[in-house]
Amino acid sequence: MVTIAKGTPKKQPSISLENRGIRHFLNIYDTSKPYALLTGASMGIGRSMAHKLAALGHHLILVALPDQTLKDFAIELEKTYNVKAIPYGIDLTAEDAPKRIFDFCTKHNLEVNILINNAGFGLGGLFENIDLTQYNTMMSLNTRTIIGMTHYFLPKLKQHQESYILNTSSMEALLPVPYKSVYTATKGFIYSFSLALREEVRPYNVNVSVLCPGSVLTNKEGLKRIKAMGWKAKMMVMMPDEVADNALDKMFKKKGVIVPGGFNLFFTKLGKVLPTSVKMNLLEKIFSAYKEH
Ligand SMILES: NC(=O)c1ccc[n+]([C@@H]2O[C@H](COP(=O)([O-])OP(=O)(O)OC[C@H]3O[C@@H](n4cnc5c(N)ncnc54)[C@H](OP(=O)(O)O)[C@@H]3O)[C@@H](O)[C@H]2O)c1
């Protein structure tokens, strides 16, 4: 059996909610200060990060699949924190999604000084049991979309005195997980990309960080995964708010690699000193519970 985490695209690409919204026609976006743009902002870690950023007074562009929930969330943030929150509903796996988001910002003179590439999902199970179409969708969302968003927004980010890119990878980028081989590889891709780009753009005061969370209780699939893993996962599981706090705090401190949680940090450090064969053997034993997912 194959596990498809929540977040697997379930709706077809459609016109952005904002393009159908009243604000579009009235053109009442606040352009007096820059925005933080977050993908995967409607749920889990992204939703928690949106709360934290709004609490700090940042205007927000919230990207997720087109849904009323996203619109309602934007309204909730505006009311609670007195900031602007623009919902932008789009299927990020569509090839032109990054361009459409960038064009929308350009058209409405919305400056972005914080780009958080967070949307992503995971597939677990024996490699050959998972459908290739699902792999392609996951690879697209977890990697290509992030490259596209970064490519479009980087020139703009460079124009600010200081700006930030935060890419959500996973602890699995550091500790490759058997039975989640392709997901692990997408997160490894983002990890390497982020660290390399970080050095390239340092002279422009664009800070690139990569977030590597361990298990985070964000959705029902996550809960199933944690239950399957038993005490090992329960010991290490974190809540989205904790991860978001840690991630944003360290992003603003310009840390390169962010691994939230003491246990997670310990295990990633241990992973660096163990011989690869020993490490991979241990990881196979620990994560063999995913085999039947
Ligand atoms: N949870 C964990 O244990 C864990 C651990 C390590 C790393 N991560 C990574 O952390 C990130 C966030 O994970 P999460 O668990 O917080 O996710 P989540 O709760 O499943 O939420 C995923 C978010 O991404 C959006 N999304 C999914 N597919 C999309 C698409 N095709 N187009 C546009 N938006 C899309 C969802 O929008 P809708 O609400 O509209 O579906 C939702 O806002 C991911 O990159 C994940 O790989 C998670």
Side-chain angles (χ1 to χ4, degrees), residues 215 226 229-238 262-264 266-267:
S215 249
I226 287 158
M229 288 284 299
W231 64 269
K232 288 166 284 198
K234 284 184 194 134
M235 194 172 76
M236 293 169 73
V237 74
M238 292 182 77
F263 272 122
N264 294 337
F266 169 77
F267 283 114

Side-chain angles (χ1 to χ4, degrees), residues 5-11 39-46 63-67 90-93 117-122 137 141-142 168-172 183 187 211-219 222 225:
K6 166 77 186 75
T8 306
K10 52 189 182 287
K11 303 154 223 165
T39 68
S42 62
M43 306 263 299
I45 300 168
V63 180
L65 286 164
D67 199 313
I90 194 165
D91 183 344
L92 284 165
T93 62
N117 290 307
N118 168 72
F121 72 93
T137 307
L141 183 65
N142 292 7
T168 306
S169 171
S170 164
M171 216 175 124
E172 295 176 24
Y183 173 73
K187 294 303 181 181
L211 174 62
C212 302
S215 249
V216 190
L217 194 48
T218 53
N219 53 48
R225 218 172 48 228

Side-chain angles (χ1 to χ4, degrees), residues 32 40 64 68 76 127 170-171 178 184 187 197 217 240 265 291:
S32 66
Q68 184 59 36
E76 179 194 327
F127 169 72
S170 164
M171 216 175 124
T184 281
K187 294 303 181 181
L197 184 70
L217 194 48
L265 200 57
K291 202 188 295 191

Side-chain angles (χ1 to χ4, degrees), residues 102-216:
F102 180 75
D103 288 347
F104 168 80
C105 292
T106 308
K107 184 175 171 192
H108 297 286
N109 295 317
L110 303 171
E111 284 294 333
V112 171
N113 67 343
I114 301 174
L115 173 65
I116 302 187
N117 290 307
N118 168 72
F121 72 93
L123 296 165
L126 281 171
F127 169 72
E128 71 271 23
N129 284 357
I130 295 169
D131 184 65
L132 201 50
T133 315
Q134 290 183 333
Y135 275 143
N136 285 333
T137 307
M138 181 179 68
M139 289 192 289
S140 169
L141 183 65
N142 292 7
T143 61
R144 195 179 49 73
T145 304
I146 297 179
I147 301 300
M149 291 295 288
T150 309
H151 202 265
Y152 275 108
F153 281 94
L154 186 59
K156 290 277 192 188
L157 289 165
K158 278 179 169 177
Q159 290 169 7
H160 293 269
Q161 227 169 32
E162 204 161 60
S163 59
Y164 300 87
I165 298 174
L166 176 65
N167 294 328
T168 306
S169 171
S170 164
M171 216 175 124
E172 295 176 24
L174 303 155
L175 298 168
V177 170
Y179 313 113
K180 283 180 85 183
S181 55
V182 181
Y183 173 73
T184 281
T186 65
K187 294 303 181 181
F189 177 102
I190 284 311
Y191 179 82
S192 299
F193 165 65
S194 305
L195 288 191
L197 184 70
R198 176 178 170 82
E199 297 312 311
E200 258 183 66
V201 300
R202 195 193 288 279
Y204 303 96
N205 280 336
V206 181
N207 177 73
V208 183
S209 302
V210 59
L211 174 62
C212 302
S215 249
V216 190

